[in-house]
Amino acid sequence: RALSTTSERLKQLGRTASIEIAPRQAVNYAELAKERPSAPRTVFVNFVDTEDEHFAAVEAACAVLKAAGLDPVPHVPASRVKNAAVKRLRALRDAGAASALIIAGNDWTDICARVDDVAACAAALLEMRPVFAGFPEGHPYVPRGGARLAEKLRA
């Protein structure tokens, strides 16, 4: 009986877990998910480079994952979408992302307002569900980062 219970728990974990991939891994993960229906369906796509080509790769990865029946959630660093937030978010939404992980990014100045603006664009203008991440132990470069996250969570 214990094996059955463990097996059921693992199946439940597989149904509710998520995974994070680099854009270049989208095709392989989409194929794996087709072969293994128990593979996590929510797939976070990281955004680590500042070049436009990398953004295009994130967008393409979202399209591949959505076509495979998965739920892509791209990272959206507010510091990297700058003045093109609506354009970038719209492209991700059109590629199949219904949610976006809104993060500040590390290459920034006065980023708190940008994070708020990007999240507002995602939710209000594009009907995407913004998801937030933070450093519970405090941001390594911003002394007030943890306090800002706490304010967001109380709001």
Side-chain angles (χ1 to χ4, degrees):
R1 181 75 183 147
L3 182 61
S4 174
T5 302
T6 301
S7 176
E8 288 303 312
R9 287 181 180 166
L10 288 173
K11 287 178 186 176
Q12 177 63 25
L13 176 63
R15 287 190 293 272
T16 59
S18 65
I19 188 168
E20 180 177 335
I21 65 169
R24 70 179 183 283
Q25 298 170 308
V27 171
N28 288 343
Y29 189 76
E31 291 172 2
L32 174 85
K34 285 181 184 176
E35 295 170 10
R36 297 188 178 163
S38 62
R41 311 315 287 170
T42 300
V43 183
F44 288 85
V45 182
N46 67 33
F47 188 136
V48 295
D49 294 327
T50 58
E51 295 84 20
D52 284 341
E53 296 81 25
H54 184 66
F55 178 81
V58 172
E59 182 182 341
C62 288
V64 165
L65 295 167
K66 187 65 176 181
L70 300 168
D71 181 22
V73 181
H75 292 192
V76 179
S79 61
R80 295 185 187 156
V81 296
K82 297 184 173 111
N83 296 327
V86 173
K87 175 184 170 188
R88 299 285 200 195
L89 289 164
R90 183 174 287 127
L92 293 168
R93 183 204 58 198
D94 292 348
S99 300
L101 177 64
I102 311 297
I103 58 176
N106 288 328
D107 46 342
W108 46 275
T109 57
D110 190 31
I111 198 60
C112 290
R114 286 194 207 155
V115 171
D116 293 345
D117 290 346
V118 172
C121 287
L125 298 178
L126 301 172
E127 299 178 352
M128 293 177 81
R129 182 177 49 118
V131 180
F132 295 94
F135 293 89
E137 68 283 359
H139 192 284
Y141 308 116
V142 181
R144 195 166 135 51
R148 181 72 174 147
L149 177 61
E151 289 170 17
K152 288 273 181 220
L153 295 174
R154 282 193 297 269

